[in-house]
Amino acid sequence: MFFWFLALSFVLVALVFDSPALDFRMVMLGSVLPLVELLAGGPWALHTLLAPLVVLVAVMLATRGRRLSRRRWLGLPIGLFLYLVLDGAWLRTDLFWWPVFGVAVDSADLPEFKPMATLVVLEIIGLAVGAWSVRRFGLTDRERLRLFCTQGRLDRAQMGAHRSRRPRGR
């Protein structure tokens, strides 16, 4: 479910936060980082609520007084939180809330791969959302794509609230 996480995390953050200056590459990285843990076979730390909270606190402390760095690195915990939502990790309560209810994790709560048909459908949805987002955010334009690839930002003119704003009269 690689494209499912990449595309949905990007689109959800772009539409909800409506912030062209956020580094969307970091959001996307955070949303697929737990997949590395799945492929490695554990220890499942990135599938808990504790992981994005620790990363969030670390980012906030490490970037104190450096607004631009904070803006860039905040995407990582946001992506980790989105992984938990998009994967349904919150349904595995012992793992999700670890270590609140004890340090032992029931083997039934460990992440598992969904049936192949579900994975294929979610990947197709991810690819479709990704294709839609490329058009929606103007990433077919060479300059906008360069801005996204080099800085992780979107063109302000392509953001929802900024496109619909009208000049205010006095």
Side-chain angles (χ1 to χ4, degrees), residues 8-103:
L8 272 287
S9 65
F10 168 63
V11 168
L12 287 171
V13 170
L15 295 177
V16 170
F17 285 86
D18 194 31
S19 173
L22 186 68
D23 190 338
F24 291 96
R25 299 171 304 173
M26 295 301 282
V27 171
M28 295 165 73
L29 174 65
S31 75
V32 295
L33 204 53
L35 295 178
V36 173
E37 192 177 61
L38 271 177
L39 295 175
W44 318 120
L46 295 177
H47 290 76
T48 69
L49 185 58
L50 183 62
L53 289 174
V54 166
V55 173
L56 178 61
V57 168
V59 166
M60 297 304 282
L61 291 174
T63 60
R64 205 171 353 172
R66 297 190 331 252
R67 198 178 111 214
L68 295 177
S69 290
R70 179 172 284 178
R71 188 183 297 164
R72 164 170 278 156
W73 287 99
L74 268 178
L76 192 61
I78 291 170
L80 288 168
F81 279 119
L82 279 169
Y83 173 85
L84 296 175
V85 171
L86 294 171
D87 187 48
W90 43 275
L91 295 171
R92 297 182 289 273
T93 55
D94 282 351
L95 181 61
F96 180 76
W97 288 105
W98 182 90
V100 173
F101 299 122
V103 293

Side-chain angles (χ1 to χ4, degrees), residues 165-170:
R165 271 194 201 141
R166 296 183 183 174
R168 294 181 189 178
R170 292 192 179 229

